[in-house]
Every structure is written in C-alpha cells, then in structure tokens.
Amino acid sequence: MILADIHGNIQAVSKLLSIIKKEQWLIDLILIAGDLPETTPISLMLQYILSHGNLSKSKYTKWVYKEGGRRIFVNKQIKSVKAILALLASLKAPIVYVPGNVDSYEAQKVLKSWTASEVHFLNAKVLKLGSLQIWGFGGTVFPPKRHKEPLCDMEFSPNDFSSQLNPLFKISTDTSSRTFNILLTHEPPAFCYKTDERTISGGSDELTKLIQYLKPNLVIFGHYHEFPLIKTQKDMIFINPGPLTRYYFALVEIKENLVTKSIKKMNSVAWDFKNMIYSTRFQQYKELRFTEF
Ligand SMILES: [Mn+2]
C-alpha cells in the first residue's frame, strides 16, 4: 500500500483501515512518501488569525516553524505521528517512511525511534526488504524564484538538496534481476503539466539524474496534491498515490514480473476540516510528462 501527504488526518486513516478490513485486503508493506504529521491544526490557525488579523499561508508557515507558534505546532505534530503510527500498526505490516517538507525535526525523531511496530525511517539510504530494494530520500527543493527562503524544516535550496542526495549515487546497488528496485521520495522528479489556464513545472532535476542512474522499477513520490497518477515511462512506473488527507491512496501488487497498480479515492467523512482545507489546492491535471530519462 502506498500513502503520501497524510497531514495528520486521523479520520482518513481510520476510514482507510475500515475499508481494508471490509475488503479483506492483505497489506504486506506500507510505503509512505512523506508529510505524515499534522500541518494545519485548526486551533493554532485560529490563534494565528486572532493575533495577526489575517491568514497568510507563507506567514503562518514561518510562524509555526521559525517563530512563536513552533512549540505548540511541534507538539501537535508529535501527537499526530504517534496516533497515526498506532492506528497503522493494526495492519501488522512494516512501514517504510521518507520525510516530507512539513516533517519537523521533532516529528522525524518520533518516526526514527518508534519501537511499538516496524517502522523504517529512510533518508538518503537504501533498505533491503526481501526481494525489494528501496531507496529513500526526503524533503523538497525550495524554488528560490518563488520564495525568498525555505520555511519548513525539510525544504532545501537546490544546492543543499543536491548535496544531500549525493550519497545515493555512491551506494553500491544490487542489480540482480531478482531484485525489485523502488525509489521512494517526497519530491517528484522534474515534470511539467498543463491545466486549462497554464503550464506548471516542478520537481527536481537531481532526482531525474538519480532515476537515470538507478533505473528503478518503481518511482514513488507525493507532495503535489493536485495530481494523483500512475504513469509508465521508459519501463519505469511512476506513482503519486495522491494525498491521504484528501482520501487518496494506491495499491500495488508485485507478482514475478507482473505489477498491478491502482489509485483509490474514498468518500470523505462529513465535516472533515483537513479534507476541506486542502481541497482548494486540487485541480485535475490535463497532461503530465516527466523530463525525459
Ligand atoms: Mn509536501
């Protein structure tokens, strides 16, 4: 099962668990492409609005990561990580996690030191699990042309992102044909897509280079809530399961050389604030392509 961008949505996680139980799906492994912790706690957003008289996304983000809101924000992140890991533990499947841009250092510490169930925290590392070889890399590139400075703990300048990614080019790889190679990241490789109004590009050129080098069977990422997708390019499968905070997830079954994959969308529970707040960001992509490999 592939998840991304949970953003502390415990209601969505509970709904997912009830569907898995009802459908009697057997989940062997849970891959999570970052941004699990709470990001928009309503009480803290109200506190911000009351003290600042407005709600600016970038100023709110700066306030919770770098200013007065941090202590309460981080405590809420930690609480949400513990609650969600405890819920997912009922599936009795190992979890492989890479941090997203919103993962505070403190929330990452909880994921790294979690012992109540099997959680592998992966950042610039490779993990062998049976016949799977999983390369993990977290965080996002902060586009200097869009903003002045990184705001979240795991947003990096292109230079820092690239130097942190470097170790993955140096680890010796098991290239035997019996190994199924997966690259799990939060940031996607470089891409562009068209909406009715404009063409949007994003992702990381460095990740594109890493993919050219590793040639993984499967590339998993998240971060862009706008386009849940399954796409095959040059014999590699690309999956953005979509944000679980908006009730999206993906299932992949690997049997010998046959890979079955699907993206699922659940109905939201009524009055889900997290689903609502992120729905403003949602727009269906028309045509998406990755930079050629
Ligand atoms: Mn993100």
Side-chain angles (χ1 to χ4, degrees):
M1 179 165 69
I2 303 175
L3 308 176
D5 299 286
I6 303 172
H7 290 289
N9 195 334
I10 289 165
Q11 296 187 96
V13 174
S14 305
K15 176 104 190 224
L16 175 64
L17 293 177
S18 70
I19 287 176
I20 292 169
K21 203 174 164 192
K22 188 171 144 250
E23 301 289 331
Q24 296 185 302
W25 287 331
L26 289 175
I27 308 294
D28 305 304
L29 176 65
I30 305 166
L31 300 174
I32 308 180
D35 278 5
L36 181 149
E38 171 75 88
T39 317
T40 53
I42 194 163
S43 57
L44 205 55
M45 290 174 79
L46 286 174
Q47 195 184 324
Y48 178 89
I49 293 166
L50 290 174
S51 55
H52 295 75
N54 61 57
L55 181 61
S56 143
K57 192 191 168 200
S58 60
K59 285 179 183 158
Y60 164 80
T61 306
K62 195 172 177 188
W63 183 67
V64 297
Y65 283 96
K66 297 182 186 296
E67 295 166 0
R70 178 156 183 122
R71 193 182 52 83
I72 298 173
F73 178 73
V74 161
N75 284 337
K76 288 191 183 291
Q77 282 215 335
I78 289 171
K79 222 176 131 192
S80 69
V81 170
K82 288 179 176 170
I84 288 170
L85 289 182
L87 281 172
L88 291 175
S90 70
L91 294 174
K92 304 211 175 338
I95 292 174
V96 181
Y97 187 79
V98 299
N101 56 312
V102 310
D103 287 65
S104 64
Y105 301 124
E106 292 88 339
Q108 291 178 66
K109 214 173 143 193
V110 175
L111 283 142
K112 280 181 205 168
S113 57
W114 186 260
T115 52
S117 54
E118 190 179 343
V119 175
H120 302 270
F121 182 94
L122 218 54
N123 197 3
K125 283 200 172 79
V126 64
L127 171 76
K128 282 275 282 178
L129 268 183
S131 58
L132 301 179
Q133 187 170 233
I134 306 165
W135 305 75
F137 189 71
T140 54
V141 185
F142 199 81
K145 56 181 182 240
R146 242 181 280 166
H147 308 273
K148 285 198 298 286
E149 53 179 341
L151 297 173
C152 308
D153 288 2
M154 293 298 283
E155 287 173 344
F156 304 103
S157 69
N159 276 343
D160 288 347
F161 189 83
S162 145
S163 62
Q164 290 174 57
L165 191 62
N166 247 337
L168 286 183
F169 286 93
K170 291 177 183 133
I171 300 169
S172 67
T173 60
D174 181 351
T175 50
S176 80
S177 59
R178 297 201 60 78
T179 305
F180 191 90
N181 291 314
I182 301 173
L183 176 65
L184 177 65
T185 61
H186 184 61
E187 178 81 276
F191 68 87
C192 76
Y193 76 101
K194 288 175 189 158
T195 69
D196 287 335
E197 302 90 43
R198 56 202 170 126
T199 300
I200 297 165
S201 58
S204 155
D205 294 320
E206 295 303 314
L207 283 176
T208 304
K209 284 180 203 156
L210 183 67
I211 291 166
Q212 283 164 343
Y213 172 74
L214 293 175
K215 296 186 174 62
N217 303 86
L218 174 60
V219 179
I220 298 164
F221 55 85
H223 189 51
Y224 284 82
H225 296 197
E226 301 90 329
F227 51 85
L229 86 130
I230 295 175
K231 193 177 165 74
T232 303
Q233 198 168 314
K234 290 257 164 89
D235 283 338
M236 290 180 276
I237 302 163
F238 294 81
I239 298 182
N240 173 358
L244 183 58
T245 195
R246 299 219 56 238
Y247 292 79
Y248 282 90
F249 65 100
L251 293 176
V252 169
E253 190 178 17
I254 305 163
K255 265 187 185 169
E256 301 295 329
N257 287 324
L258 190 70
V259 184
T260 325
K261 58 247 179 236
S262 59
I263 288 176
K264 314 270 185 199
K265 167 98 164 79
M266 305 176 278
N267 292 321
S268 160
V269 303
W271 296 106
D272 182 337
F273 174 70
K274 290 183 176 62
N275 179 46
M276 284 189 264
I277 201 164
Y278 285 106
S279 67
T280 55
R281 262 181 69 176
F282 196 79
Q283 52 189 155
Q284 200 63 44
Y285 72 97
K286 276 271 162 47
E287 189 188 306
L288 180 139
R289 75 182 171 80
F290 296 103
T291 304
E292 282 301 320
F293 301 106

